[in-house]
Amino acid sequence: MSLKSYFQQPGDGRVHPHISAADIVWAIVMSRILRVTSFLRLEWLVHSPARAGLGVKAPFGDDVLAYCTQRMNPERTRLALAEALHQAKRNKAFENSRFIGLALDGTGAGRTYKEPCRLCDPIKDAKGEVHGSLHHFVLISVVGVGLTLPVDVEPYGPGDSEYAAAQRLLRRAVEHLGPRFADYVVGDGAYATAPFLHTTQEVGLPVVARLKENLPLLAAAVRARFDGQPPHSVFQEGDDRVEVWDADDFAPWETLDWPAVRVLRYRQHKRNGTVVQAEWLTNFSIRQLGSLSFYRMAKSRWEIENRGFNDGKNRYGMEHICHHHPNSILIVWLLIALAMVIERLYRSRYLHRGDHRVRTAIDLADYLWLSLAAGGPPDTG
Ligand SMILES: [Zn+2]
C-alpha cells in the first residue's frame, strides 16, 4: 500500500459518510504538522480561507472528526506508517547508519476528569482517592539513524501492562516492517526481563537493554568484575571522553535462556565535568558489535524519550485528548506518529538537498502557515 492509496482510503468505518475520510485524515495529519492540536481548532482551520490551500474539499465540524476517528480501523494507519518507513529505507534515508534500531518505551498522556473509558487508568493519591484518569501507551520508534521515526503505538489500560503491550507491539511492528528492516531492539531497565528478551529473540532481533538493580545478581557480578579494573578501552565521542568495560561471559539469570550475557559499562566524561555511568546488556557477540557501536546503541534509547515523547507531546499534541473514546484516542496517536514521520522525512531528507541547512520543524510550520495565509497551496513537491 502506498501512502497515496492510504490517504485515499484510510480505513473509514462509517456507513454513510457525508465527508470523505480522505479529507478528514489528510486534514488531521496536516494540522499536526501545523501544530493545531485540538479538533475544535481544526474545525476553525477548515472553515477559514486557508482550507483550499490545505487541499481539503469541504468544511466539517469537530463532531465529524470525533465520529470518524471513533470508527476508523487502526490497522490501515499502522500499515501506512510501515510503508512510509519502507519507502524511507528504499530511498536511502538511513544510508549513513550501519545499524537501524527499534526503541520501545511507555508513557502516560491525556489526563482527564471525564467519565472513564476502557483505557482510563485512575490516578489515586496516597489515601486511595481518585483524581481523574490517565491514558497509557507504548511507542516503538526507529532510532540510531539520525532521524527518530515513530513506527506504531499500543495502548494499555487497567489490568494490562506496559510490559505485555510492548511485547504485542514489537511482534506487530516486526510483522509489518519485515524481519530484515531493523538490526536491533533497545529499551530501558524495564525491558531487561527474560520474557521480553525472549520475545526479541522470537522476532529475530538482537537486543540492547539497560542493566539496573531489578537484576541484582547480574548487577553484583558486574560490579565484582569491573570495579577496580582499568577501562578496557577509551573513546573520544564528540566532546566526551568515554571509558568502557565490556565482557561477554556473565552467567544468565535463571529464567533467561541465553548461554551467556554480555555487559558493557560506560563512564562518560562530559566537557563540563559531569560523569555518567551506566551498564547495558546484550546478546550481540563482540565479533558482531564493537564496544563503541554497543555504546551508541545504548545511547540511541534516549531518542524515544527526547524526539519521540517530548516532541510528540510538546509540539504535536500527544498529551491532549481530542475525543474521549478508546479508538479515537488510538487513531489520533497513530496519525500524530504519521505526521511526525512525514514531517521529518520531508524536512530532513527531501528539502535538505545540496548545501541547504536542514530547516527546523518550527521553520517548516511557519512557512506552511505563511503559504496558507497568502492563499496559495504550499509547494509540497
Ligand atoms: Zn479514557
Side-chain angles (χ1 to χ4, degrees):
M1 175 179 64
S2 68
L3 267 187
K4 200 176 163 194
S5 73
Y6 165 73
F7 278 113
Q8 281 161 358
Q9 288 189 326
D12 196 0
R14 296 169 301 166
V15 184
H16 298 294
H18 293 289
I19 305 286
S20 82
D23 259 12
I24 292 168
V25 168
W26 175 254
I28 295 175
V29 169
M30 280 306 292
S31 72
R32 296 300 158 143
I33 294 172
L34 292 164
R35 308 200 177 180
V36 167
T37 58
S38 80
F39 283 175
L40 269 173
R41 229 176 136 236
L42 178 51
E43 174 184 308
W44 161 79
L45 186 62
V46 297
H47 280 85
S48 79
R51 189 186 70 244
L54 273 174
V56 173
K57 285 180 211 81
F60 47 79
D62 73 323
D63 54 330
V64 171
L65 290 161
Y67 190 84
C68 179
T69 52
Q70 198 172 321
R71 286 163 181 79
M72 270 174 68
N73 174 5
E75 184 67 5
R76 285 286 291 176
T77 305
R78 286 171 162 150
L79 289 169
L81 274 158
E83 178 47 35
L85 296 167
H86 274 135
Q87 218 171 305
K89 193 177 177 183
R90 275 199 302 277
N91 294 340
K92 310 217 182 310
F94 316 144
E95 67 187 334
N96 297 322
S97 310
R98 208 172 131 212
F99 298 105
I100 299 175
L102 293 175
L104 289 107
D105 204 10
T107 194
R111 187 166 185 169
T112 180
Y113 295 90
K114 289 186 179 159
E115 182 69 21
C117 76
R118 171 167 67 72
L119 290 180
C120 270
D121 243 337
I123 302 168
K124 290 180 186 159
D125 65 17
K127 290 178 204 140
E129 240 175 272
V130 174
H131 300 274
S133 12
L134 196 62
H135 297 84
H136 287 101
F137 65 93
V138 184
L139 175 69
I140 185 166
S141 176
V142 170
V143 295
V145 297
L147 271 179
T148 309
L149 301 174
V151 180
D152 195 354
V153 300
E154 178 69 10
Y156 60 98
D160 196 356
S161 68
E162 170 175 352
Y163 188 56
Q167 292 176 56
R168 296 196 295 273
L169 181 59
L170 178 63
R171 286 204 177 91
R172 187 175 58 231
V174 173
E175 200 175 292
H176 285 173
L177 293 171
R180 280 174 299 278
F181 182 89
D183 302 294
Y184 68 98
V185 176
V186 62
D188 69 12
Y191 295 90
T193 63
F196 185 80
L197 300 181
H198 294 159
T199 302
T200 64
Q201 226 166 349
E202 270 171 50
V203 301
L205 287 173
V207 61
V208 170
R210 179 90 183 259
L211 169 60
K212 287 184 134 176
E213 290 303 323
N214 55 340
L215 295 170
L217 290 180
L218 181 58
V222 169
R223 276 195 300 274
R225 176 94 64 97
F226 290 162
D227 287 2
Q229 265 188 12
H232 300 169
S233 316
V234 182
F235 306 110
Q236 191 67 34
E237 177 79 331
D239 284 341
D240 303 342
R241 190 169 58 86
V242 182
E243 300 171 303
V244 295
W245 291 254
D246 192 350
D248 62 357
D249 57 350
F250 289 99
W253 57 98
E254 59 178 4
T255 49
L256 182 68
D257 69 3
W258 294 4
V261 182
R262 177 176 172 198
V263 176
L264 179 90
R265 167 186 286 178
Y266 65 74
R267 195 175 288 154
Q268 176 190 10
H269 299 265
K270 297 194 180 181
R271 213 179 183 173
N272 64 11
T274 52
V275 178
V276 181
Q277 179 172 314
E279 276 97 35
W280 290 75
L281 62 86
T282 189
N283 54 352
F284 269 113
S285 71
I286 288 178
R287 186 180 48 77
Q288 289 170 305
L289 185 75
S291 299
L292 178 58
S293 295
F294 189 174
Y295 169 77
R296 287 177 178 158
M297 281 183 186
K299 286 288 183 183
S300 73
R301 195 207 81 80
W302 293 104
E303 288 181 41
I304 196 163
E305 203 86 52
N306 300 328
R307 307 273 293 132
F309 294 140
N310 288 353
D311 283 0
K313 290 178 181 185
N314 298 329
R315 297 175 171 177
Y316 302 99
M318 248 176 195
E319 190 78 84
H320 173 72
I321 298 294
C322 290
H323 171 52
H324 192 205
H325 177 280
N327 197 65
S328 177
I329 293 169
L330 171 60
I331 293 291
V332 171
W333 283 334
L334 288 169
L335 292 177
I336 290 172
L338 186 59
M340 288 168 80
V341 167
I342 292 172
E343 196 272 344
R344 285 175 180 174
L345 286 172
Y346 177 69
R347 185 162 52 80
S348 322
R349 295 295 186 259
Y350 179 81
L351 289 182
H352 183 55
R353 290 194 178 153
D355 295 329
H356 301 291
R357 67 181 180 84
V358 175
R359 259 183 223 256
T360 62
I362 192 71
D363 275 353
L364 179 64
D366 285 349
Y367 164 78
L368 291 172
W369 274 112
L370 290 174
S371 311
L372 290 171
D379 177 12
T380 52

